[in-house]
Amino acid sequence: MTILSLSPEKTVQTGVCHIVGGGRNGKGGKIKCSIRTTPKGVKNEDKKYIGIDGKWYDITTLANNHPGGNIILEYINKDATQVFHSFHNPNILNHFRIVGTYDPQLSPIDQDLLSLLKSFWLEGLFEPNFNWILSKIAFCMSLILIVFTCVIFGVQIESNFLKFLIGPIFLSLFWQQSGFLMHDTLHNQIFKKRWKNELLGSFFGTVCFGVSSTWWKDEHNEHHVFTNTVVSNIGSSDPQMKEDIWAQDKKLFQFFPKPILKIIIKIQKYIFLPILIFIGRFAIIIDSYINSEIQIKQIIPILIHWIWTLYLLSYFPTKSQSFLFYWIASIFQGGLELQLLLSHYTQPWEEKEASKLKSFYQRQIFVTKDISCPVWMDWLHGGLNFHIVHHLFPLLPRHNLRKATEKLYQICEKHKLQYKRENWSYAVWDTLRHLGEMQKSL
């Protein structure tokens, strides 16, 4: 066996990375709001290696055909043990050639977290529960049936209660629960075949919810690996946590013109909730269409979404009633969108290259927090209340997150690693407080 003279990088130096533009997904499509960085000096024709569990693997061929896209280039000649195990079944390694060894130098807590992950595989926690999945799908479909029922009968009997309260509430829940099912499937939690997950994800994410599921998946993968990170003077490398209308960390200040930044910082704690609630749904749909390479396989589910939506709205006698119904439902859904932001908005940001040199597991715990709630409320959060364990082990099905969280918490207690957990109302208040305090960082 050839022993390579490589060692995982330990320090950040000027010029150690090379900006190669935006990322690409597994099918070669551009991930528009992303930044891809690779070790400086590595050329396309060079051999490429990646370190996992103290072994170097030759990924020269895989680098250009990676199912998860060219994000793999970020870890050329680096130890990727933790990030690999978070996103892959370990059996995949059997298909690649070992060309050398190295000392991975894992800390005691990282060793315990890797052992926890292995125990989850042995216990079968990564296996999908199809009865549970079918119950969630049935629940989701029942919501849209209730919506149509409320609209049809509400119009017939002229009941504003059905048309403009009950109907919109159930439509917002349908959108929300569809989004959760898209999240489950596009994390490959249900089927072993990637294309099956993508097909189901397209149905729930695009046909039902209305966003481009391809756009969501591409940006969400970047978010999971590079949570709350930036590339200075270039942009945010976490596309799902950066917006152009507020700055929740001082590392984001550099991307705003100074006069605009001063205004944003003063008002952002006041506009945060109104913007999310009143225009959040419209913004995320438009964003997904603008920042996605729209292909025929995406156009069809998008058209189906708007066909059934317009058919539903056609039951109303006037356009103004149709708009009012849709907007009220969007307002309810906008409130639910807070779930997507509360777990990260108060947590610190750092340079992308610096983040890659740290423990992936410990950093995910550091930049994420859980939302505490009783068991009977788990359905409303879609598993996002167990955000830390989800960020550590995104392949873990939603129905096993509560059990996994308690075991993860025990390890954090053992190593005195802060585990942040807040109730929903406090998390909202804390986010608003944090946005207001950004003025002190100017």
Side-chain angles (χ1 to χ4, degrees):
M1 177 184 294
T2 302
I3 306 300
L4 299 180
S5 59
L6 298 173
S7 60
E9 297 172 39
K10 296 298 179 187
T11 59
V12 180
Q13 302 173 7
T14 302
V16 298
C17 72
H18 175 60
I19 310 297
V20 296
R24 289 188 175 272
N25 59 33
K27 294 179 174 60
K30 292 181 181 179
I31 307 173
K32 293 185 179 180
C33 297
S34 65
I35 304 169
R36 188 65 69 238
T37 59
T38 62
K40 196 156 188 173
V42 176
K43 301 177 182 178
N44 286 336
E45 63 271 19
D46 290 345
K47 284 281 188 179
K48 298 175 178 65
Y49 307 98
I50 198 165
I52 301 168
D53 296 327
K55 301 180 181 68
W56 290 110
Y57 292 86
D58 186 341
I59 61 160
T60 306
T61 302
L62 177 67
N64 295 321
N65 302 285
H66 182 231
N70 70 350
I71 196 168
I72 195 173
L73 298 177
E74 302 270 0
Y75 290 91
I76 292 174
N77 301 344
K78 297 178 183 288
D79 174 72
T81 298
Q82 296 174 42
V83 70
F84 168 82
H85 283 297
S86 285
F87 292 91
H88 303 84
N89 186 315
N91 294 330
I92 291 175
L93 291 176
N94 297 331
H95 301 289
F96 297 95
R97 184 168 62 96
I98 300 172
V99 294
T101 59
Y102 67 97
D103 180 5
Q105 299 180 351
L106 291 172
S107 67
I109 184 171
D110 289 331
Q111 292 176 20
D112 281 354
L113 289 169
L114 275 171
S115 296
L116 179 66
L117 173 62
K118 292 175 182 176
S119 72
F120 289 164
W121 281 107
L122 291 174
E123 292 174 33
L125 294 189
F126 286 95
E127 291 298 318
N129 182 330
F130 284 100
N131 289 331
W132 181 90
I133 294 166
L134 289 173
S135 71
K136 289 297 176 184
I137 292 175
F139 175 63
C140 192
M141 293 300 101
S142 69
L143 291 173
I144 194 62
L145 287 175
I146 293 173
V147 172
F148 271 89
T149 301
C150 287
V151 169
I152 294 170
F153 283 98
V155 169
Q156 288 179 351
I157 64 175
E158 298 185 355
S159 169
N160 288 336
F161 178 72
L162 288 177
K163 289 188 297 183
F164 302 121
L165 182 61
I166 302 303
I169 287 175
F170 277 90
L171 181 56
S172 69
L173 287 174
F174 171 71
W175 286 333
Q176 179 212 40
Q177 295 298 313
S178 296
F180 291 153
L181 285 167
M182 173 185 69
H183 183 260
D184 296 337
T185 56
L186 295 184
H187 269 302
N188 299 309
Q189 295 176 3
I190 297 179
F191 299 111
K192 298 187 185 301
K193 297 290 185 181
R194 186 182 295 266
W195 70 266
K196 292 182 179 180
N197 287 307
E198 291 178 349
L199 184 62
L200 199 58
S202 178
F203 174 75
F204 285 109
T206 307
V207 174
C208 297
F209 185 40
V211 302
S212 165
S213 61
T214 300
W215 161 85
W216 182 88
K217 178 185 178 183
D218 291 343
E219 290 203 351
H220 196 63
N221 286 340
E222 297 286 326
H223 161 69
H224 260 270
V225 181
F226 303 117
T227 314
N228 285 12
T229 61
V230 299
V231 178
S232 285
N233 303 316
I234 303 294
S236 166
S237 39
D238 180 353
Q240 290 196 328
M241 289 297 118
K242 162 70 169 65
E243 299 296 342
D244 295 329
I245 48 179
W246 47 65
Q248 69 270 28
D249 190 272
K250 62 183 179 181
K251 285 193 176 296
L252 297 172
F253 291 177
Q254 60 186 299
F255 307 122
F256 294 86
K258 285 187 178 180
I260 295 177
L261 178 63
K262 289 181 180 180
I263 297 173
I264 287 174
I265 292 301
K266 288 181 180 179
I267 65 173
Q268 61 184 11
K269 71 175 181 180
Y270 304 109
I271 66 173
F272 178 71
L273 288 179
I275 287 177
L276 270 184
I277 293 172
F278 292 106
I279 65 173
R281 173 168 175 80
F282 301 99
I284 195 173
I285 289 177
I286 294 171
D287 195 26
S288 79
Y289 296 166
I290 292 175
N291 291 306
S292 177
E293 284 196 325
I294 301 298
Q295 301 172 348
I296 188 67
K297 66 177 183 179
Q298 295 178 65
I299 292 175
I300 292 173
I302 288 173
L303 288 175
I304 294 173
H305 169 79
W306 288 108
I307 287 171
W308 76 254
T309 300
L310 292 173
Y311 178 71
L312 173 65
L313 297 178
S314 70
Y315 281 99
F316 289 93
T318 65
K319 292 180 181 179
S320 59
Q321 286 193 24
S322 298
F323 176 78
L324 180 62
F325 166 83
Y326 191 89
W327 190 50
I328 293 172
S330 299
I331 289 173
F332 285 122
Q333 191 227 304
L336 297 172
E337 279 185 16
L338 274 169
Q339 298 163 310
L340 307 178
L341 307 177
L342 295 180
S343 290
H344 298 296
Y345 256 43
T346 59
Q347 308 311 111
W349 287 59
E350 70 176 327
E351 287 289 333
K352 181 182 185 181
E353 287 305 302
S355 74
K356 288 195 282 188
L357 303 178
K358 295 182 177 180
S359 160
F360 176 78
Y361 289 154
Q362 292 183 53
R363 187 173 185 279
Q364 291 299 323
I365 295 172
F366 184 61
V367 298
T368 313
K369 63 183 176 184
D370 281 358
I371 305 300
S372 59
C373 71
V375 176
W376 62 271
M377 285 290 288
D378 284 352
W379 72 274
L380 191 60
H381 291 273
L384 298 181
N385 48 320
F386 304 114
H387 220 71
I388 296 178
V389 76
H390 170 64
H391 260 255
L392 291 179
F393 315 127
L395 296 180
L396 198 63
R398 198 197 321 172
H399 58 274
N400 286 327
L401 291 179
R402 182 173 285 274
K403 178 180 180 180
T405 291
E406 294 310 311
K407 294 188 177 183
L408 173 63
Y409 183 74
Q410 292 171 11
I411 290 178
C412 292
E413 284 276 286
K414 172 185 173 182
H415 293 277
K416 295 180 170 41
L417 187 65
Q418 184 183 14
Y419 191 102
K420 295 173 285 291
R421 185 156 44 187
E422 300 170 356
N423 65 53
W424 190 85
S425 57
Y426 181 83
V428 173
W429 175 86
D430 193 38
T431 299
L432 296 176
R433 175 201 59 77
H434 177 78
L435 290 171
E437 289 187 351
M438 281 295 101
Q439 293 187 70
K440 299 177 183 179
S441 300
L442 275 176

